[in-house]
Amino acid sequence: MKMMIEGSMGVAYMVMRCRPNVIAAYPITPQTHIVEDLSQFKADGELSGEFINVESEFGAASVVLGAQAAGARAYSATTSQGLLLMGEVLFNMAGMRLPVVITVANRAISAPISIWNDHSDAMVMRDSGWIMLFAEDNQEAADMHPQAYKIGENPEIMLPVMINMDGFILTHAVETVDIPSQKEVDEFLPPYKPEEYLNVENPLTFGNLAEPQWYMETRYKLQETQEDAKALIEKIADEYKGKFGRYHGGLIDTYRMDDAERVFVAMGSIIGTLKDVVDDLRARGEKVGILKIRSFRPFPKEKIREVCGHVKELLVLEKAISFGLGGVLQEELRSTFYGQKHQPKVLGFVLGLGGRDIPPKSLIKLYEVSKGKEISNEFVDLRPEVAPKGSLVTL
Amino acid sequence: MTESTKTKKQKPPVEESLLTCGHRACAGCGEALGAKLVMDAAGPNTIVATSTGCLEVFSTAFPQTAWRMPWIHSLFENSAAVAAGIEAALRNKGKHDINVIAQGGDGGTADIGLGCLSGLLERNQNVLYVCYDNEAYMNTGVQRSGLTPYNARTSTSPSGTESFGNQHQKKNLLGICAAHNIPYAATATVAYPQDLMMKVKKALKIPGAKFLQVHVPCPLGWIHKSELTIEVAKLAVSTGLFPIVEMQYNKVTRTRKIGKDRRPVEDYLKLQGRFKHLFTDTAKDELEKVRQIAQANIEYFGLE
Ligand SMILES: Cc1ncc(C[n+]2csc(CCOP(=O)(O)OP(=O)(O)O)c2C)c(N)n1
Ligand code: SF4
Ligand SMILES: [Mg+2]
């Protein structure tokens, strides 16, 4: 059913459709509306799962860990400081192969405290072993939830999945979202039936001590599974398309890339802005397209190479930075092409940190002025009093 | 076992414990004994969440496990929350007849895990939380915790020319838990196994959140002979240093009286290397302070 609702409510509806047995979450802006909506569904008797009020995000993550280990389907949502506070538990879930799904309403990290959007929070967790997906719009964010459970719960995968959606930009934006019926979602997503879980008929030990003769094998398996998940993420996106008629990409998605020579690479809601920018540039005869990274972990190196055969330059736009190195995504792209026959030039831009607006005119300008240049970690739209000499695009 | 001992083949005194033998705890480990008693009292229809600490480390080196029941270890500070998730999952699936136990050491409970524990107690979820109180972080090499007694020497509260060891009081963990107004909060000790097992059974029959603090000597950390574990544990009770009490809805309902069995604190302290520095001329006042702590306990709970 099509509804004019907030992105958060779209997610809440779809989470309910996934029939989680246990939800535990702690409020933090801009995630709050998701859990408030779920609490209301529970209060109205629509949600059959348990909603556990906890004392912290650390507690929330630990509750859903326990629930999932006991054979339940579990859900949580958070952002920023809350995600950091969950950190220890998130790594633990991946190590224990518990396919929890959480939604992250991406937000900047303190200090200075900022409640506004960027991707710094998610980037901190990139080595946690979680599958990490980024949604472009509210429909995709909603649709990602049944897909995420189906990916994570696959017996060959058994990994937790993080769905990233830009805080405020998506969570608080009111748009049309098509929410499928319970029956349709049930047909797509079967009940969670793990082979191994905590139960008294078959007592198993979870979370053993692993001495040096065993620990490395668990890491090897995790890495191997991340690689295996690549094919499944694509397959499930196709399956979803077959069932619901909607496709937002598999590991990646492309826009007007067929003959593109210069290609924007980005994740999340900025893709929407970029589509307008690319349409404008195309109208002026520019051969430009967009490569949307939908799955950040596993990172789709092969898929990216496949679609970039004819591309001369990649303009990587990212809302996070690894201090002392630079943009994370641009480095991933450089490593993707290192040693390959075809090596498009990778230009790296950092923008939109802490909710800094990203107007189309800045994107068009950076597109124009970056031609023929070597660029790494170029901050876009800095205030002039801080911007270094020679900055390409300033406020 | 050699055949030279010409004893008759004996039946094992009890059937195999749910925390079975062959694990790596030190000889005389009070925590291993305490956990075994708790598990056997709870029975096999129980799911257990355990914090990081000696108990988890000595019992689960992969690919082995000493646990004959469904058991999970996640982190140092979250067994209460993990158990809460397990309880919620069971409840949602309509499995109301399975016990859920969360357990951890004094550090995992009274210090780093206190937030998760408070959440569990506040929500009054149907979980029994058991704290094995060996009065320091043993797993990491005997550092002090919030439950280390006043003047005990640990590796982070050493005695020296300027110090008599741990300068903070032992936290009133029972009081903290009981103040959540939960239906049952109690202390017990490995010195009195029947009492301990009775309390576990009793607690598991009560719906809601329950808390049990079990005093478990640690020969390695307390520096006492491994065969003295039970004697040391008994003396903690008879000196008044570890009161054995039951509380319901934040009211004391039952206590183990000491009466004429009362012993001077020195009898307890002198068996343990962690208090050795208190038996010098300069430490007289400090020893007196320990006496006062025992006296205050006895008066507060009316143990005389
Ligand atoms: C977040 C975190 N901090 C510190 C540690 C290190 N650590 C592991 S066990 C432990 C002490 C355990 O003490 P306690 O809970 O009293 O259990 P015991 O070993 O004494 O039975 C510490 C400090 C850890 N594993 N995780
Ligand atoms: S150090 Fe103490 S608590 Fe740990 S196994 Fe040895 S006796 Fe038990
Ligand atoms: Mg301890």
Side-chain angles (χ1 to χ4, degrees), chain B residues 31 105-107 132-138:
Chain B
E31 188 167 68
D106 46 293
Y132 300 101
D133 183 7
N134 55 20
E135 306 192 319
Y137 301 154
M138 296 313 178

Side-chain angles (χ1 to χ4, degrees), chain A residues 21 48 88 92 205-206 209, chain B residues 24 62 65 71 74 77 92:
Chain A
N21 301 95
S48 61
E88 202 192 358
N92 201 248
T205 292
F206 282 63
L209 168 73
Chain B
R24 303 171 173 185
F62 188 83
T65 180
W71 185 96
S74 167
E77 65 276 40
N92 191 253

Side-chain angles (χ1 to χ4, degrees), chain B residues 142-165:
Chain B
V142 200
Q143 295 85 20
R144 74 165 295 281
S145 81
L147 294 190
T148 299
Y150 183 70
N151 273 342
R153 178 157 66 87
T154 71
S155 58
T156 52
S157 63
S159 59
T161 52
E162 304 292 319
S163 176
F164 291 96

Side-chain angles (χ1 to χ4, degrees), chain B residues 24-32 54 58 134 138-139 217-221:
Chain B
R24 303 171 173 185
C26 309
C29 174
E31 188 167 68
C54 271
F58 72 59
N134 55 20
M138 296 313 178
N139 185 47
C218 164
L220 185 116

